[in-house]
Amino acid sequence: MFAGRKKEIKQLLESFSRTKGTLNVIRGRRRIGKTRLIKELPVVGRNITLRYLTSSPPVEKMSDSEERVLYAEQVKSQFELSYMPPHTTWRELFAFIADQCSTRRTILAIDEINWLATRSSGFMSVFFELWENQFTHKKEVMVILSGSLSSWIEENILMNKGFVGRVSVAITLKELSLNDMPTFFGARIKKTPSVEVLKMLSAVGAVPRYLEELDLAKTAGTNLSRLAFDKSGFLHDEFEKMFYDLFSKENRFYRTILETISQSKRGLTAKELAEQMKLTYSGRYSTAIAVLEEVGFLKRQYTWDIARRKQGKKYALKISDNYTAFYFRAIQPTRLQSGIHSEAPKHLPSLLGLQFENLVHNNVAFILDQLHIKPSDAAFAAPYLQTATAQREGCQIDLLIQARNRVYVCECKLYNEEITRSIIPEVQTKIAKLHRPSGISFHPVLIHGNRVAESVFEEDYFDEIVHLGDGLWAY
């Protein structure tokens, strides 16, 4: 079931121009739903003709001419031709494609553009030439360039001098929001306890392709057993296949970076990362971190000056992709077990609790709404890292939100059992460690996914107690 993406669809459809051709870009990690979004455009829009072309992951033995033959076969199918189009060169093939895009409100989608251009080194110069001389003059014709390698798209399209000013809409697809889940899963979600939905999302993230594999008639434990710990399960080796496709050249180095960071709850600085990998920090690390951040695997957790409302220069690196973190924390350690089924780690509940924090971060818009904070008023809304100095202790907050002179200290918990009053002194200790400038008030908030004991409510310590499951029904 297609869900969400209303804003993106609106942006793309409104970019059609009656006076010229339109060039748009869509990027995002694999499985995030780029292709599905593209194919939804003629369903939502009126009188739209979609011509969809794509490339497969790089195969070393495939020659440039073999690639062109495969592409020409797609062109034949997509344009419903009775003959093979000319394809002696890429220029010849794409000039033919441009001639075929003669009907108004036609969308030509070139998916996985990064793989095509990586294999065929001169392709982008050919495409730019044809864009300037042909596509741009076609009224109400849209060309969409889509790909998984965000850093490649940034360097070769968005920041390329030749394309600057020519891209109308550039979209980076993220995970779906909690309130997209009822549309995605349909009526079944109403019969499923919200804690079970939150556990599943904490493990795999709201990535459309992974959501398709979930069976809401079963518990989170049963789903994860089948998908992640059964050796034939879809998610058991999904990371290895996906990651190799994306980073075949630097696969081992990039993979080790993610594996190392995933073992740290608080995150690692770039220097700490290099030390734990037992390598000297260099520009290779900077490049790798930037690439992994662009693709959506990593995020930088910057320090924040509460008094000055200013972001610091120091940061820690954390895994931003729930499935990737779950793979290294829970799935990979079981992959060497014998038999067709691996045993789930005994500390799986605590792992899901750790993953729950990231699910909260990915749905911070819902949290702001529950706290009655306008997004424009939130100067900072992210995990908070206070570095230790001679005058203060170090401290880490699951989610800190600063809106004007109010700071909300959010504790995120996903327990199988109910949260008891013991949570209060735990949060009090964290707030006591924070540097608290005068004129700024601090407000404790509890964000949970299951049950909270009545004694916690009676204590009236927390300004707000937010059930993340309510986000499933927030519109």
Side-chain angles (χ1 to χ4, degrees):
M1 173 67 73
F2 183 82
R5 314 303 193 200
K6 292 179 181 178
K7 177 183 176 182
E8 291 85 353
I9 288 175
K10 186 173 185 289
Q11 285 179 303
L12 291 167
L13 292 180
E14 289 183 349
S15 72
F16 269 119
S17 171
R18 294 183 179 181
T19 60
K20 62 183 181 66
T22 306
L23 180 62
N24 296 324
V25 171
I26 302 174
R27 55 181 172 168
R29 83 189 286 292
R30 292 201 72 193
R31 319 294 198 198
I32 203 65
K34 299 183 297 298
T35 301
R36 188 70 179 83
L37 170 62
I38 291 170
K39 292 186 176 181
E40 190 69 13
L41 293 174
V43 176
V44 177
R46 301 172 100 186
N47 302 319
I48 290 175
T49 300
L50 173 64
R51 309 297 189 184
Y52 175 82
L53 304 171
T54 189
S55 293
S56 57
V59 177
E60 292 182 8
K61 295 181 180 179
M62 183 180 291
S63 67
D64 187 64
S65 60
E66 290 173 327
E67 174 75 8
R68 286 199 309 278
V69 170
L70 291 177
Y71 223 82
E73 289 175 347
Q74 284 190 75
V75 173
K76 178 184 177 183
S77 173
Q78 283 293 305
F79 287 89
E80 300 175 342
L81 305 174
S82 60
Y83 57 91
M84 278 288 279
H87 56 276
T88 305
T89 64
W90 286 110
R91 177 178 283 100
E92 182 181 52
L93 178 57
F94 269 81
F96 176 86
I97 293 172
D99 288 339
Q100 295 296 307
C101 294
S102 56
T103 307
R104 286 177 182 259
R105 295 185 68 78
T106 291
I107 297 176
L108 172 65
I110 306 175
D111 206 356
E112 296 302 355
I113 180 71
N114 43 273
W115 286 336
L116 173 59
T118 299
R119 275 196 295 257
S120 306
S121 58
F123 175 78
M124 288 309 296
S125 60
V126 169
F127 176 79
F128 177 73
E129 175 193 323
L130 291 170
W131 171 258
E132 289 292 284
N133 295 328
Q134 294 193 50
F135 286 110
T136 193
H137 302 297
K138 294 182 176 291
K139 299 175 182 179
E140 290 194 276
V141 168
M142 180 192 305
V143 177
I144 296 177
L145 304 181
S146 175
S148 304
L149 282 178
S150 293
S151 57
W152 185 94
I153 289 176
E154 183 81 15
E155 180 182 349
N156 292 276
I157 301 175
L158 298 179
M159 298 304 293
N160 185 296
K161 291 181 180 179
F163 287 102
V164 169
R166 290 166 174 81
V167 176
S168 298
V169 177
I171 293 171
T172 300
L173 281 190
K174 302 295 185 181
E175 293 185 9
L176 296 175
S177 299
L178 285 173
N179 61 4
D180 293 322
M181 296 303 102
T183 302
F184 190 94
F185 288 114
R188 168 56 66 176
I189 197 170
K190 294 181 181 180
K191 303 176 183 178
T192 306
S194 62
V195 64
E196 296 297 319
V197 177
L198 294 177
K199 285 179 181 179
M200 288 184 260
L201 294 178
S202 294
V204 307
V207 176
R209 181 62 186 89
Y210 301 160
L211 298 180
E212 290 173 359
E213 296 294 322
L214 299 176
D215 180 357
L216 295 197
K218 306 288 195 306
T219 65
T222 300
N223 271 282
L224 294 178
S225 178
R226 172 177 59 86
L227 294 172
F229 302 114
D230 188 306
K231 294 190 177 180
S232 63
F234 180 80
L235 297 176
H236 189 71
D237 59 356
E238 152 71 1
F239 177 84
E240 302 295 346
K241 293 184 288 188
M242 170 187 67
F243 206 71
Y244 181 80
D245 286 347
L246 284 174
F247 307 112
S248 55
K249 292 183 179 179
E250 284 277 32
N251 179 52
R252 182 172 297 181
F253 181 59
Y254 284 20
R255 187 186 187 286
T256 304
I257 288 175
L258 292 178
E259 184 174 13
T260 304
I261 294 173
S262 70
Q263 304 309 314
S264 171
K265 180 181 178 181
R266 69 171 183 82
L268 298 174
T269 65
K271 183 179 179 181
E272 289 171 338
L273 172 64
E275 288 174 351
Q276 291 200 22
M277 291 177 65
K278 298 180 181 179
L279 295 171
T280 302
Y281 186 81
S282 64
R284 188 183 180 200
Y285 276 94
S286 299
T287 299
I289 289 169
V291 169
L292 290 170
E293 187 176 28
E294 278 289 335
V295 176
F297 288 104
L298 280 185
K299 63 183 174 184
R300 303 181 199 224
Q301 179 184 327
Y302 283 93
T303 54
W304 175 256
D305 189 321
I306 294 175
R308 297 180 181 180
R309 300 182 194 175
K310 184 179 180 181
Q311 181 176 282
K313 294 182 179 179
K314 294 182 179 179
Y315 63 84
L317 297 165
K318 298 190 77 172
I319 304 294
S320 58
D321 184 77
N322 275 50
Y323 167 69
T324 298
F326 187 71
Y327 176 80
F328 283 116
R329 291 167 177 164
I331 300 175
Q332 182 184 249
T334 71
R335 282 171 59 82
L336 295 180
Q337 294 178 13
S338 60
I340 62 173
H341 189 86
S342 306
E343 289 296 323
K346 294 181 179 179
H347 62 305
L348 183 59
S350 63
L351 280 180
L352 291 178
L354 180 59
Q355 302 260 135
F356 177 73
E357 294 177 21
N358 206 51
L359 185 63
V360 172
H361 302 156
N362 290 338
N363 289 277
V364 72
F366 168 70
I367 304 301
L368 293 176
D369 180 71
Q370 295 298 290
L371 299 178
H372 311 290
I373 299 172
K374 295 179 181 178
S376 58
D377 289 339
F380 184 81
Y384 177 77
L385 177 66
Q386 177 176 282
T387 54
T389 67
Q391 291 78 33
R392 70 187 187 199
E393 294 183 73
C395 181
Q396 184 164 345
I397 304 299
D398 295 341
L399 174 65
L400 185 139
I401 300 170
Q402 182 166 3
R404 299 182 180 179
N405 293 326
R406 296 170 68 90
V407 170
Y408 298 84
V409 180
C410 304
E411 183 75 4
C412 304
K413 295 293 183 186
L414 179 64
Y415 289 165
N416 282 334
E417 63 279 0
E418 69 178 14
I419 298 173
T420 66
R421 191 190 173 284
S422 62
I423 192 67
I424 295 176
E426 184 180 334
V427 177
Q428 287 174 326
T429 300
K430 288 186 177 183
I431 293 179
K433 292 180 180 180
L434 290 173
H435 172 60
R436 288 178 283 174
S438 60
I440 295 178
S441 58
F442 285 72
H443 305 266
V445 174
L446 175 61
I447 303 171
H448 69 100
N450 196 3
R451 293 172 290 126
V452 176
E454 190 62 33
S455 60
V456 178
F457 289 97
E458 292 174 350
E459 194 73 19
D460 199 26
Y461 170 72
F462 292 102
D463 276 33
E464 293 284 348
I465 296 179
V466 179
H467 194 313
L468 193 66
D470 291 342
L472 295 168
W473 313 105
Y475 291 98

